[in-house]
Amino acid sequence: MLVVAFETSSAVGSVAVARALSPSGRGQGEGGSGQAPVIVEERLFTKGLHHGANIVPTIDAIFEAHKLDRSEVGLVAVSSGPGSYTGIRVGIASGKALAFALGAPMIGVPAPDCVIRNLPPKGKAAVIIDARRGQFYVTPYEAKAGQWDPSAPHRSLDVAAAAAVLSPDTLLAGEGVQAFLAASKGNWPAASDEAGIPHSRFTALLAFERLASGAPDELLALEPLYLRPTEAEETWRKKHGSSS
């Protein structure tokens, strides 16, 4: 089976296609159900939040380049966020349309879980994404048995609260690191800018792992992982009151 995945929550979007056995162990190739998918290709978009125009042409280009058949698609994986509100909405809507058209299951993967895969599992790390207006999306991780495990849920925190949950030896990665360091005046170690990009190849791998161990998301019920109201919602609440 093929896994089609795309990442649209960050400034650098991408599409990846992977080939894997079905979770039941049936499919093309050799091995058992625990075998990780092999990435056929990942293509990054040019930087900028215009992912909606890139998703379908990029998928088409990868399928054409590798002579792939859409009938083999057995899973659609998308980034559920947090990150760019518009990008996440576009990605999930596109994923639902593709999954419905192909009759394939769909799984949403949190963007921080993809970012952390850029780092070798060692010690403590945290993914920091700029949520704007003085807030940061923060997900701390700890290396256990050769892999990253989240040590707290994904949260939207102000600078002071974020600084309070990060130990001094925590390695920071993500598109919000430099903004957070400047706002907090902290000196946490920081990974490279490249390590802060959530790649769609990890979206594909993580989604397949979830499919192998449980059920996919309910197509109509899958919602973006926003963690906080949109700016328009906050403006409305301030104008009309939280009880309205």
Side-chain angles (χ1 to χ4, degrees), residues 155-174:
R155 289 177 289 179
S156 178
L157 304 173
D158 62 27
V159 175
V165 301
L166 300 173
S167 60
D169 60 342
T170 301
L171 177 63
L172 307 185

Side-chain angles (χ1 to χ4, degrees), residues 5-244:
F6 36 93
E7 160 56 48
T8 59
S9 71
S10 70
V12 181
S14 61
V15 164
V17 176
R19 181 175 292 282
L21 291 172
S22 67
S24 62
R26 299 185 300 274
Q28 298 190 8
E30 299 177 352
S33 60
Q35 184 175 350
V38 175
I39 303 301
V40 175
E41 186 177 352
E42 179 187 54
R43 294 194 183 188
L44 273 62
F45 307 152
T46 57
K47 191 172 184 178
L49 296 175
H50 42 252
H51 304 330
N54 289 320
I55 294 172
V56 173
T58 306
I59 292 173
D60 288 344
I62 294 176
F63 269 69
E64 182 177 354
H66 297 274
K67 309 300 184 199
L68 303 176
D69 190 332
R70 282 168 177 72
S71 66
E72 293 185 77
V73 176
L75 176 62
V76 175
V78 300
S79 173
S80 59
S84 162
Y85 282 27
T86 301
I88 298 166
R89 287 197 300 271
V90 166
I92 290 181
S94 298
K96 288 182 176 181
L98 182 62
F100 181 79
L102 297 176
M106 178 177 170
I107 287 178
V109 178
D113 291 346
C114 295
V115 173
I116 198 66
R117 286 291 186 102
N118 291 321
L119 305 177
K122 182 179 180 181
K124 297 179 181 179
V127 175
I128 309 289
I129 300 171
D130 193 349
R132 313 297 181 190
R133 304 192 297 283
Q135 297 281 313
F136 293 89
Y137 301 124
V138 180
T139 309
Y141 297 83
E142 188 170 354
K144 295 181 180 179
Q147 66 180 16
W148 288 113
D149 284 344
S151 53
H154 311 292
R155 289 177 289 179
S156 178
L157 304 173
D158 62 27
V159 175
V165 301
L166 300 173
S167 60
D169 60 342
T170 301
L171 177 63
L172 307 185
E175 289 185 330
V177 170
Q178 295 308 317
F180 172 72
L181 291 175
S184 65
K185 297 180 173 55
N187 58 356
W188 286 271
S192 67
D193 291 344
E194 290 75 13
I197 298 173
H199 285 277
S200 56
R201 63 178 182 269
F202 294 131
T203 307
L205 297 176
L206 290 169
F208 182 79
E209 288 176 9
R210 246 191 66 192
L211 185 65
S213 61
D217 288 314
E218 177 64 37
L219 189 61
L220 296 179
L222 178 61
E223 295 290 340
L225 183 64
Y226 284 147
L227 298 184
R228 57 173 293 179
T230 65
E231 185 174 5
E233 290 172 325
E234 289 184 343
T235 299
W236 191 93
R237 290 179 182 181
K238 289 178 181 177
K239 183 177 180 181
H240 298 280
S242 59
S243 61
S244 298

